[in-house]
Amino acid sequence: MTKIIDGKKISQRLKDNLRIEIDEIKNTFKRVPGLAVVQVGDVTASSVYVKAKTKAAKEVGIIVFDHHLDASTTQSDLLHLINKLNKNEDVNGILVQLPLPKNINEQIILDSIHPNKDADGFHPLNVGKLSISKSNNENLLIPCTPLGCLIMLQNEGIVLSGKNAVIIGRSNIVGKPMAQLLIKESCTVTIAHSKTSNIENICKSADILVVAIGRPEVVKSNWVKDGAIIIDVGINRINDVENNKTKLVGDVMFDEVKNKVSAITPVPGGVGPMTIACLLKNTKTAFLNQNKI
Ligand code: NAP
């Protein structure tokens, strides 16, 4: 029987535990972790994500400092705000919702966030720490989506050591950090991308296949081996001709692939909720690191 990995349930458990831990922090230190959420402009998808992240943060007891800036904000205005947030002791984590307007250089902004407050784990120093650390230890600030994928695998009791893992996608926010995490879990890792030859056969060698392409239903059942474990990171909105509406699908052809594999994440309800829960986990980690706890 194929296991459908329930990201909503696992993320809820993670958030329940975080709420308990943050309550303990509050009782002991008379303070709670603070997260600054910065959005520039009004891209609809960004507003949806920011709303979901803010709601989840408040639910676990994190204080949210909301900074919703006008689309005309300049790079220097934004750098000025981040500088202020870097110095504000009540702010333990800073999240800048991407994408930013075209007049702002995203990398310059991400680099300006103090590495200790880097709730998304995108700062070069944290990327470096993830790369050179020997284990996926609790003090690291790790990009939220791959961290969520790892936690899901661990939660399902899947033995990772010695497994062949294939990751499709080599982005800085998903593919590359996912590879770092799985290498440290002693998987043998292959990264595939748009220029990979013979990608279907490479995917067929995977015990664990993590798919982060950003194109709907690319991975078909003839790409996967019997009994593999599939983590589908993709979120794609497509037309649902039957209902004359739109719907969300992953990068994997779920209905076809699910009959062949031992476990698979659905879209929606898989990786998405885990990403948000891991942002909260990183904010707590940042608080503990900053207070040397
Ligand atoms: P990205 O930066 O666009 O990277 C996509 C990667 O897929 C690239 O490495 C690209 O190869 C590769 N690729 C594109 N077409 C391919 C094909 N036909 N065959 C093989 N590889 C192909 O995207 P991303 O930011 O990593 O995000 C990937 C997906 O995950 C998107 O759908 C995004 O919305 C979703 N996502 C979800 C969450 C969540 O919380 N669930 C979080 C983040 C992202 P090249 O490098 O050669 O171009």
Side-chain angles (χ1 to χ4, degrees), residues 25-213:
I25 287 174
K26 190 176 177 182
N27 291 336
T28 314
F29 301 99
K30 311 296 171 221
R31 287 186 56 200
V32 291
L35 174 67
V37 178
V38 181
Q39 183 186 357
V40 184
D42 286 300
V43 174
T44 312
S46 293
S47 299
V48 171
Y49 287 132
V50 162
K51 202 171 152 197
K53 289 169 183 176
T54 302
K55 182 168 172 271
K58 287 179 179 168
E59 274 167 18
V60 301
I62 289 172
I63 294 183
V64 177
F65 302 92
D66 180 25
H67 294 272
H68 191 172
L69 310 179
D70 196 79
S72 63
T73 301
T74 64
Q75 182 165 302
S76 101
D77 289 341
L78 186 53
L79 285 170
H80 182 68
L81 171 64
I82 289 172
N83 195 25
K84 267 182 26 193
L85 296 173
N86 282 340
K87 288 182 185 147
N88 184 340
E89 289 189 0
D90 294 329
V91 172
N92 304 104
I94 301 171
L95 158 79
V96 177
Q97 183 64 43
L98 303 179
L100 290 169
K102 294 220 168 1
N103 61 310
I104 299 178
N105 181 317
E106 284 186 357
Q107 198 55 52
I108 289 177
I109 298 301
L110 295 179
D111 291 0
S112 74
I113 295 172
H114 193 292
N116 292 351
K117 296 191 176 188
D118 173 31
D120 262 328
F122 294 159
H123 190 282
L125 195 85
N126 290 318
V127 174
K129 279 185 180 172
L130 177 65
S131 161
I132 61 177
S133 65
K134 287 206 167 70
S135 71
N136 295 318
N137 74 61
E138 288 286 311
N139 300 332
L140 294 171
L141 296 175
I142 299 170
C144 304
T145 301
L147 178 58
C149 295
L150 176 65
I151 292 174
M152 279 201 284
L153 290 166
Q154 290 170 331
N155 229 274
E156 295 301 320
I158 293 161
V159 177
L160 297 172
S161 178
K163 295 280 165 61
N164 280 334
V166 174
I167 300 159
I168 317 184
R170 54 177 162 178
S171 71
N172 290 335
I173 65 168
V174 188
K176 281 192 250 174
M178 188 76 238
Q180 296 289 359
L181 291 171
L182 290 177
I183 287 168
K184 281 184 272 179
E185 298 299 327
S186 298
C187 289
T188 303
V189 177
T190 305
I191 299 194
H193 46 74
S194 70
K195 307 288 187 295
T196 301
S197 334
N198 216 355
I199 193 164
E200 289 154 51
N201 277 350
I202 289 171
C203 292
K204 258 195 147 158
S205 73
D207 302 309
I208 296 163
L209 179 63
V210 181
V211 189
I213 300 175

